[in-house]
Structures are given as structure tokens and as C-alpha cells.
Amino acid sequence: MAFPPPSPRPDTARGPAVAFEGIGKRYGKVVAIGAVTANISPGTFVAIVGSSGSGKSTLLKAVNRLIEPDCGSVRIDGADVADQEPHRLRRSIGYVFQNVGLFPHMTVTQNIGIGSRIATGDPLEADRIAALLDLVDLPRDFAPRLPEQLSGGQRQRVGVARALAGEPGLMLMDEPFGALDPVTREALGEQYRALHERLGLTTIMVTHDMAEALLFADRIWVMADGRIVADATPSQLIAGDCGPDAEALVAVPRLQAERITAMRAAGIGA
């Protein structure tokens, strides 16, 4: 099912601007990211793509200080993240990753409210939990369940609800749907894109799935050897005007689509 073009962002949206200014990170002689400078406008959905080891996750984790760069800065609405205590910074940023990281001994309610409990010592109110479950399209009666009683897609929805519990304006997503089956992956991608619009978020998502990036993002950063080698809209990438690294990534879903069309035309599997 194709996702419709995003609606215009409302003027009242609260997602922040994000700026990378000469960010660099090395591990010994290996350059993970090298002097990256790029800007994200408020309310934009940016997907970061590239081969393994290109620096995608390192760049993402510099935003919430899970990784400290060797040089440069990351600014959120002009404020340098290095000037903020890491735990306070992370409470203001939603973070969703591939393996979800739900606590197996905690219920859905407890997992969603863990950030509030750590920050204030108090659990989230029941009506707030119910609202978050509604937001990620989970039945309210899932609240007392344990993670082992949920499917992979349901656990990932809980992870999104947990990330949204602190009402962040910025969401970081590191291969959030990578472990899911294709049908569930597409459905959750579409639903998250709708949440991005509804809540006026700024979203930065790392993905290995080029089709996912093309379908859901406003802008796509193609990384290679620790640098952004293309910064373009999905239509610009599809047009093939963004260099060989970008073209190689776009070619994968294009060739897959062409092969499926050819198989259908030949009646294979009939």
C-alpha cells in the first residue's frame, strides 16, 4: 500500500531544527564520521541510508550523546548538546531502536512509563498510558501484559509509545522496523509517518531499506565512508541525479520491482 504524500506541516509544529557542524569521530585509525556538516529544518523527516560501516548510526547517536564526537558540534534549536547533561538531554529526545529493549519483567504500562518513573519517581497516570496506547494503535487492555505476550510488531509499538511518553519534539530511530516481517514493517512505517505529521515531530531515521526511506522520508542522506555524499528528496534520488553511491542504493528496489513485474508478465508461479 503506497503512503500518500505528507500534508503541509502546521505552523504550530514543535519539532526542533537540528544542525551538525563539522562532526567527526574516529576509532583508532578508522574514520566513523568525518567532518559532517548538515542541517535539518523543523518538522522534517530525514532518513539516513548507506552500506554497513558508512557512519549512519554513529552520526545518529551523536545527537543524544550516546556517542561523543572527537570534533564539531550538534545543535538542537541552536543549543549545543554538549552543554547539556546527557540524562537530561535524552529525556527530551525520543529514541527507538531495532531490538526495542523492553524490560521483560515489566508490563506494557511499566515499560512505557519507565522514563517518567526514573525522572520523577512517579508512574505515568493511567489516562496518559491509555492515550499513548491509542496513539500507537494498541488496545488499552494490553496495558498489563508482559513483552513475551506480544508479537514483534506489538513490542515495537510499545517502544514507540515509550519514546513518545516524554512528549519529545525530536525522534531518533535506528533501524526501528528492521527485525519485523515486510507486511508489519510497512504498516508500522506508514503509521509512524502519520504520527510524525500529527505531532509535528522532527525525525531522524537510520535504515538499510532504501524503499522504506523513499516512501516515508522528506529528505534522504546517503552516507559513504563517514560522509554525507548525497542530500536529496526521494524524487531527486529516483531521478538518478545524486551520484553513484545513491544510484547503487536506489537500484536495489528498482531492480526488485522490475523482476517481479517480469515474473508476472511471464506467468511464473501461475
Side-chain angles (χ1 to χ4, degrees), residues 21-50:
E21 301 175 355
I23 284 289
K25 180 68 177 179
R26 285 178 174 266
Y27 295 103
K29 295 182 178 180
V30 177
V31 177
I33 44 176
V36 169
T37 295
N39 296 292
I40 300 173
S41 299
T44 302
F45 191 135
V46 171
I48 308 177
V49 300

PDB file of all heavy atoms in Angstrom, residues 21-50:
ATOM      1  N   GLU A  21      27.617  20.337  12.827  1.00  0.00           N
ATOM      2  CA  GLU A  21      28.644  21.305  12.437  1.00  0.00           C
ATOM      3  C   GLU A  21      30.034  20.691  12.567  1.00  0.00           C
ATOM      4  O   GLU A  21      30.606  20.627  13.658  1.00  0.00           O
ATOM      5  CB  GLU A  21      28.525  22.564  13.308  1.00  0.00           C
ATOM      6  CG  GLU A  21      27.160  23.243  13.188  1.00  0.00           C
ATOM      7  CD  GLU A  21      26.985  24.428  14.132  1.00  0.00           C
ATOM      8  OE1 GLU A  21      27.900  24.663  14.958  1.00  0.00           O
ATOM      9  OE2 GLU A  21      25.947  25.100  14.047  1.00  0.00           O
ATOM     10  N   GLY A  22      30.549  20.161  11.462  1.00  0.00           N
ATOM     11  CA  GLY A  22      31.896  19.592  11.441  1.00  0.00           C
ATOM     12  C   GLY A  22      32.091  18.404  12.352  1.00  0.00           C
ATOM     13  O   GLY A  22      33.182  18.202  12.900  1.00  0.00           O
ATOM     14  N   ILE A  23      31.057  17.572  12.492  1.00  0.00           N
ATOM     15  CA  ILE A  23      31.123  16.420  13.391  1.00  0.00           C
ATOM     16  C   ILE A  23      32.110  15.376  12.864  1.00  0.00           C
ATOM     17  O   ILE A  23      32.056  14.985  11.693  1.00  0.00           O
ATOM     18  CB  ILE A  23      29.722  15.777  13.535  1.00  0.00           C
ATOM     19  CG1 ILE A  23      28.844  16.628  14.443  1.00  0.00           C
ATOM     20  CG2 ILE A  23      29.807  14.370  14.089  1.00  0.00           C
ATOM     21  CD1 ILE A  23      29.243  16.577  15.889  1.00  0.00           C
ATOM     22  N   GLY A  24      33.008  14.920  13.734  1.00  0.00           N
ATOM     23  CA  GLY A  24      33.942  13.882  13.367  1.00  0.00           C
ATOM     24  C   GLY A  24      34.132  12.876  14.485  1.00  0.00           C
ATOM     25  O   GLY A  24      34.070  13.228  15.665  1.00  0.00           O
ATOM     26  N   LYS A  25      34.341  11.612  14.116  1.00  0.00           N
ATOM     27  CA  LYS A  25      34.571  10.568  15.108  1.00  0.00           C
ATOM     28  C   LYS A  25      35.465   9.493  14.507  1.00  0.00           C
ATOM     29  O   LYS A  25      35.201   8.989  13.416  1.00  0.00           O
ATOM     30  CB  LYS A  25      33.242   9.938  15.560  1.00  0.00           C
ATOM     31  CG  LYS A  25      33.383   8.830  16.593  1.00  0.00           C
ATOM     32  CD  LYS A  25      33.878   9.345  17.935  1.00  0.00           C
ATOM     33  CE  LYS A  25      33.949   8.252  18.979  1.00  0.00           C
ATOM     34  NZ  LYS A  25      34.451   8.760  20.281  1.00  0.00           N
ATOM     35  N   ARG A  26      36.528   9.149  15.250  1.00  0.00           N
ATOM     36  CA  ARG A  26      37.442   8.084  14.838  1.00  0.00           C
ATOM     37  C   ARG A  26      37.477   6.989  15.900  1.00  0.00           C
ATOM     38  O   ARG A  26      37.317   7.257  17.091  1.00  0.00           O
ATOM     39  CB  ARG A  26      38.870   8.620  14.671  1.00  0.00           C
ATOM     40  CG  ARG A  26      39.116   9.434  13.424  1.00  0.00           C
ATOM     41  CD  ARG A  26      40.552   9.959  13.407  1.00  0.00           C
ATOM     42  NE  ARG A  26      40.880  10.644  12.159  1.00  0.00           N
ATOM     43  CZ  ARG A  26      41.453  10.072  11.116  1.00  0.00           C
ATOM     44  NH1 ARG A  26      41.791   8.781  11.176  1.00  0.00           N
ATOM     45  NH2 ARG A  26      41.701  10.751  10.024  1.00  0.00           N
ATOM     46  N   TYR A  27      37.702   5.771  15.444  1.00  0.00           N
ATOM     47  CA  TYR A  27      38.003   4.661  16.331  1.00  0.00           C
ATOM     48  C   TYR A  27      39.375   4.144  15.910  1.00  0.00           C
ATOM     49  O   TYR A  27      39.498   3.381  14.960  1.00  0.00           O
ATOM     50  CB  TYR A  27      36.947   3.566  16.219  1.00  0.00           C
ATOM     51  CG  TYR A  27      35.577   4.020  16.698  1.00  0.00           C
ATOM     52  CD1 TYR A  27      34.579   4.353  15.796  1.00  0.00           C
ATOM     53  CD2 TYR A  27      35.305   4.126  18.061  1.00  0.00           C
ATOM     54  CE1 TYR A  27      33.332   4.768  16.230  1.00  0.00           C
ATOM     55  CE2 TYR A  27      34.061   4.540  18.512  1.00  0.00           C
ATOM     56  CZ  TYR A  27      33.081   4.859  17.586  1.00  0.00           C
ATOM     57  OH  TYR A  27      31.843   5.283  18.028  1.00  0.00           O
ATOM     58  N   GLY A  28      40.416   4.632  16.596  1.00  0.00           N
ATOM     59  CA  GLY A  28      41.772   4.340  16.163  1.00  0.00           C
ATOM     60  C   GLY A  28      42.040   5.024  14.834  1.00  0.00           C
ATOM     61  O   GLY A  28      41.867   6.230  14.693  1.00  0.00           O
ATOM     62  N   LYS A  29      42.428   4.245  13.845  1.00  0.00           N
ATOM     63  CA  LYS A  29      42.687   4.804  12.520  1.00  0.00           C
ATOM     64  C   LYS A  29      41.447   4.810  11.628  1.00  0.00           C
ATOM     65  O   LYS A  29      41.481   5.332  10.511  1.00  0.00           O
ATOM     66  CB  LYS A  29      43.804   4.008  11.830  1.00  0.00           C
ATOM     67  CG  LYS A  29      45.156   4.112  12.528  1.00  0.00           C
ATOM     68  CD  LYS A  29      46.219   3.340  11.767  1.00  0.00           C
ATOM     69  CE  LYS A  29      47.578   3.470  12.436  1.00  0.00           C
ATOM     70  NZ  LYS A  29      48.631   2.709  11.695  1.00  0.00           N
ATOM     71  N   VAL A  30      40.354   4.243  12.120  1.00  0.00           N
ATOM     72  CA  VAL A  30      39.129   4.146  11.322  1.00  0.00           C
ATOM     73  C   VAL A  30      38.283   5.401  11.506  1.00  0.00           C
ATOM     74  O   VAL A  30      37.949   5.780  12.635  1.00  0.00           O
ATOM     75  CB  VAL A  30      38.310   2.906  11.718  1.00  0.00           C
ATOM     76  CG1 VAL A  30      36.997   2.858  10.931  1.00  0.00           C
ATOM     77  CG2 VAL A  30      39.111   1.638  11.489  1.00  0.00           C
ATOM     78  N   VAL A  31      37.941   6.041  10.401  1.00  0.00           N
ATOM     79  CA  VAL A  31      37.071   7.215  10.445  1.00  0.00           C
ATOM     80  C   VAL A  31      35.620   6.748  10.397  1.00  0.00           C
ATOM     81  O   VAL A  31      35.155   6.215   9.384  1.00  0.00           O
ATOM     82  CB  VAL A  31      37.352   8.164   9.257  1.00  0.00           C
ATOM     83  CG1 VAL A  31      36.372   9.337   9.282  1.00  0.00           C
ATOM     84  CG2 VAL A  31      38.788   8.662   9.313  1.00  0.00           C
ATOM     85  N   ALA A  32      34.901   6.920  11.517  1.00  0.00           N
ATOM     86  CA  ALA A  32      33.485   6.545  11.560  1.00  0.00           C
ATOM     87  C   ALA A  32      32.633   7.621  10.897  1.00  0.00           C
ATOM     88  O   ALA A  32      31.763   7.328  10.070  1.00  0.00           O
ATOM     89  CB  ALA A  32      33.040   6.322  12.998  1.00  0.00           C
ATOM     90  N   ILE A  33      32.861   8.879  11.274  1.00  0.00           N
ATOM     91  CA  ILE A  33      32.248  10.020  10.589  1.00  0.00           C
ATOM     92  C   ILE A  33      33.316  11.101  10.464  1.00  0.00           C
ATOM     93  O   ILE A  33      34.116  11.314  11.375  1.00  0.00           O
ATOM     94  CB  ILE A  33      31.000  10.578  11.323  1.00  0.00           C
ATOM     95  CG1 ILE A  33      31.220  10.698  12.832  1.00  0.00           C
ATOM     96  CG2 ILE A  33      29.775   9.740  11.032  1.00  0.00           C
ATOM     97  CD1 ILE A  33      30.054  11.324  13.570  1.00  0.00           C
ATOM     98  N   GLY A  34      33.318  11.772   9.328  1.00  0.00           N
ATOM     99  CA  GLY A  34      34.377  12.733   9.067  1.00  0.00           C
ATOM    100  C   GLY A  34      33.874  14.094   8.669  1.00  0.00           C
ATOM    101  O   GLY A  34      33.358  14.270   7.572  1.00  0.00           O
ATOM    102  N   ALA A  35      33.968  15.041   9.594  1.00  0.00           N
ATOM    103  CA  ALA A  35      33.653  16.447   9.316  1.00  0.00           C
ATOM    104  C   ALA A  35      32.311  16.625   8.632  1.00  0.00           C
ATOM    105  O   ALA A  35      32.190  17.298   7.608  1.00  0.00           O
ATOM    106  CB  ALA A  35      34.760  17.067   8.473  1.00  0.00           C
ATOM    107  N   VAL A  36      31.257  16.037   9.209  1.00  0.00           N
ATOM    108  CA  VAL A  36      29.916  16.139   8.639  1.00  0.00           C
ATOM    109  C   VAL A  36      29.265  17.452   9.049  1.00  0.00           C
ATOM    110  O   VAL A  36      29.175  17.770  10.235  1.00  0.00           O
ATOM    111  CB  VAL A  36      29.033  14.955   9.081  1.00  0.00           C
ATOM    112  CG1 VAL A  36      27.573  15.198   8.713  1.00  0.00           C
ATOM    113  CG2 VAL A  36      29.524  13.655   8.448  1.00  0.00           C
ATOM    114  N   THR A  37      28.801  18.205   8.070  1.00  0.00           N
ATOM    115  CA  THR A  37      28.039  19.429   8.301  1.00  0.00           C
ATOM    116  C   THR A  37      26.738  19.326   7.527  1.00  0.00           C
ATOM    117  O   THR A  37      26.741  19.110   6.309  1.00  0.00           O
ATOM    118  CB  THR A  37      28.821  20.667   7.846  1.00  0.00           C
ATOM    119  OG1 THR A  37      29.999  20.806   8.661  1.00  0.00           O
ATOM    120  CG2 THR A  37      27.969  21.931   7.983  1.00  0.00           C
ATOM    121  N   ALA A  38      25.627  19.434   8.231  1.00  0.00           N
ATOM    122  CA  ALA A  38      24.314  19.316   7.586  1.00  0.00           C
ATOM    123  C   ALA A  38      23.263  19.893   8.517  1.00  0.00           C
ATOM    124  O   ALA A  38      23.463  19.970   9.734  1.00  0.00           O
ATOM    125  CB  ALA A  38      24.001  17.859   7.264  1.00  0.00           C
ATOM    126  N   ASN A  39      22.141  20.288   7.930  1.00  0.00           N
ATOM    127  CA  ASN A  39      21.062  20.920   8.705  1.00  0.00           C
ATOM    128  C   ASN A  39      19.728  20.249   8.419  1.00  0.00           C
ATOM    129  O   ASN A  39      19.462  19.815   7.287  1.00  0.00           O
ATOM    130  CB  ASN A  39      20.957  22.409   8.356  1.00  0.00           C
ATOM    131  CG  ASN A  39      22.198  23.180   8.751  1.00  0.00           C
ATOM    132  OD1 ASN A  39      22.489  23.344   9.926  1.00  0.00           O
ATOM    133  ND2 ASN A  39      22.946  23.647   7.759  1.00  0.00           N
ATOM    134  N   ILE A  40      18.902  20.179   9.460  1.00  0.00           N
ATOM    135  CA  ILE A  40      17.549  19.630   9.341  1.00  0.00           C
ATOM    136  C   ILE A  40      16.568  20.693   9.800  1.00  0.00           C
ATOM    137  O   ILE A  40      16.660  21.201  10.925  1.00  0.00           O
ATOM    138  CB  ILE A  40      17.390  18.362  10.203  1.00  0.00           C
ATOM    139  CG1 ILE A  40      18.390  17.287   9.760  1.00  0.00           C
ATOM    140  CG2 ILE A  40      15.965  17.836  10.120  1.00  0.00           C
ATOM    141  CD1 ILE A  40      18.418  16.072  10.661  1.00  0.00           C
ATOM    142  N   SER A  41      15.637  21.032   8.952  1.00  0.00           N
ATOM    143  CA  SER A  41      14.631  22.040   9.291  1.00  0.00           C
ATOM    144  C   SER A  41      13.600  21.463  10.253  1.00  0.00           C
ATOM    145  O   SER A  41      13.362  20.246  10.277  1.00  0.00           O
ATOM    146  CB  SER A  41      13.923  22.527   8.020  1.00  0.00           C
ATOM    147  OG  SER A  41      14.839  23.127   7.134  1.00  0.00           O
ATOM    148  N   PRO A  42      12.955  22.325  11.055  1.00  0.00           N
ATOM    149  CA  PRO A  42      11.932  21.848  11.988  1.00  0.00           C
ATOM    150  C   PRO A  42      10.834  21.064  11.268  1.00  0.00           C
ATOM    151  O   PRO A  42      10.382  21.436  10.192  1.00  0.00           O
ATOM    152  CB  PRO A  42      11.371  23.145  12.582  1.00  0.00           C
ATOM    153  CG  PRO A  42      12.482  24.129  12.457  1.00  0.00           C
ATOM    154  CD  PRO A  42      13.174  23.782  11.174  1.00  0.00           C
ATOM    155  N   GLY A  43      10.437  19.945  11.862  1.00  0.00           N
ATOM    156  CA  GLY A  43       9.339  19.162  11.332  1.00  0.00           C
ATOM    157  C   GLY A  43       9.693  18.264  10.170  1.00  0.00           C
ATOM    158  O   GLY A  43       8.807  17.636   9.588  1.00  0.00           O
ATOM    159  N   THR A  44      10.965  18.138   9.829  1.00  0.00           N
ATOM    160  CA  THR A  44      11.382  17.329   8.689  1.00  0.00           C
ATOM    161  C   THR A  44      11.638  15.887   9.100  1.00  0.00           C
ATOM    162  O   THR A  44      12.114  15.625  10.205  1.00  0.00           O
ATOM    163  CB  THR A  44      12.660  17.911   8.052  1.00  0.00           C
ATOM    164  OG1 THR A  44      12.409  19.253   7.655  1.00  0.00           O
ATOM    165  CG2 THR A  44      13.095  17.115   6.833  1.00  0.00           C
ATOM    166  N   PHE A  45      11.342  14.965   8.212  1.00  0.00           N
ATOM    167  CA  PHE A  45      11.646  13.546   8.386  1.00  0.00           C
ATOM    168  C   PHE A  45      12.839  13.233   7.492  1.00  0.00           C
ATOM    169  O   PHE A  45      12.738  13.248   6.275  1.00  0.00           O
ATOM    170  CB  PHE A  45      10.431  12.705   7.981  1.00  0.00           C
ATOM    171  CG  PHE A  45      10.503  11.242   8.361  1.00  0.00           C
ATOM    172  CD1 PHE A  45       9.407  10.624   8.937  1.00  0.00           C
ATOM    173  CD2 PHE A  45      11.644  10.483   8.132  1.00  0.00           C
ATOM    174  CE1 PHE A  45       9.437   9.273   9.285  1.00  0.00           C
ATOM    175  CE2 PHE A  45      11.700   9.137   8.474  1.00  0.00           C
ATOM    176  CZ  PHE A  45      10.582   8.527   9.052  1.00  0.00           C
ATOM    177  N   VAL A  46      13.988  12.957   8.116  1.00  0.00           N
ATOM    178  CA  VAL A  46      15.212  12.640   7.386  1.00  0.00           C
ATOM    179  C   VAL A  46      15.543  11.168   7.580  1.00  0.00           C
ATOM    180  O   VAL A  46      15.564  10.676   8.718  1.00  0.00           O
ATOM    181  CB  VAL A  46      16.392  13.502   7.864  1.00  0.00           C
ATOM    182  CG1 VAL A  46      17.708  13.007   7.256  1.00  0.00           C
ATOM    183  CG2 VAL A  46      16.170  14.958   7.504  1.00  0.00           C
ATOM    184  N   ALA A  47      15.790  10.459   6.492  1.00  0.00           N
ATOM    185  CA  ALA A  47      16.282   9.084   6.556  1.00  0.00           C
ATOM    186  C   ALA A  47      17.759   9.078   6.192  1.00  0.00           C
ATOM    187  O   ALA A  47      18.175   9.753   5.241  1.00  0.00           O
ATOM    188  CB  ALA A  47      15.501   8.187   5.608  1.00  0.00           C
ATOM    189  N   ILE A  48      18.553   8.326   6.954  1.00  0.00           N
ATOM    190  CA  ILE A  48      19.981   8.179   6.677  1.00  0.00           C
ATOM    191  C   ILE A  48      20.219   6.762   6.180  1.00  0.00           C
ATOM    192  O   ILE A  48      19.878   5.789   6.866  1.00  0.00           O
ATOM    193  CB  ILE A  48      20.838   8.447   7.926  1.00  0.00           C
ATOM    194  CG1 ILE A  48      20.475   9.784   8.571  1.00  0.00           C
ATOM    195  CG2 ILE A  48      22.315   8.420   7.574  1.00  0.00           C
ATOM    196  CD1 ILE A  48      21.226  10.081   9.861  1.00  0.00           C
ATOM    197  N   VAL A  49      20.766   6.642   4.975  1.00  0.00           N
ATOM    198  CA  VAL A  49      20.993   5.338   4.364  1.00  0.00           C
ATOM    199  C   VAL A  49      22.458   5.208   3.975  1.00  0.00           C
ATOM    200  O   VAL A  49      23.202   6.191   3.926  1.00  0.00           O
ATOM    201  CB  VAL A  49      20.098   5.138   3.122  1.00  0.00           C
ATOM    202  CG1 VAL A  49      18.622   5.219   3.492  1.00  0.00           C
ATOM    203  CG2 VAL A  49      20.427   6.167   2.040  1.00  0.00           C
ATOM    204  N   GLY A  50      22.869   3.986   3.685  1.00  0.00           N
ATOM    205  CA  GLY A  50      24.247   3.724   3.291  1.00  0.00           C
ATOM    206  C   GLY A  50      24.613   2.307   3.654  1.00  0.00           C
ATOM    207  O   GLY A  50      23.894   1.632   4.412  1.00  0.00           O
TER     208      GLY A  50
END
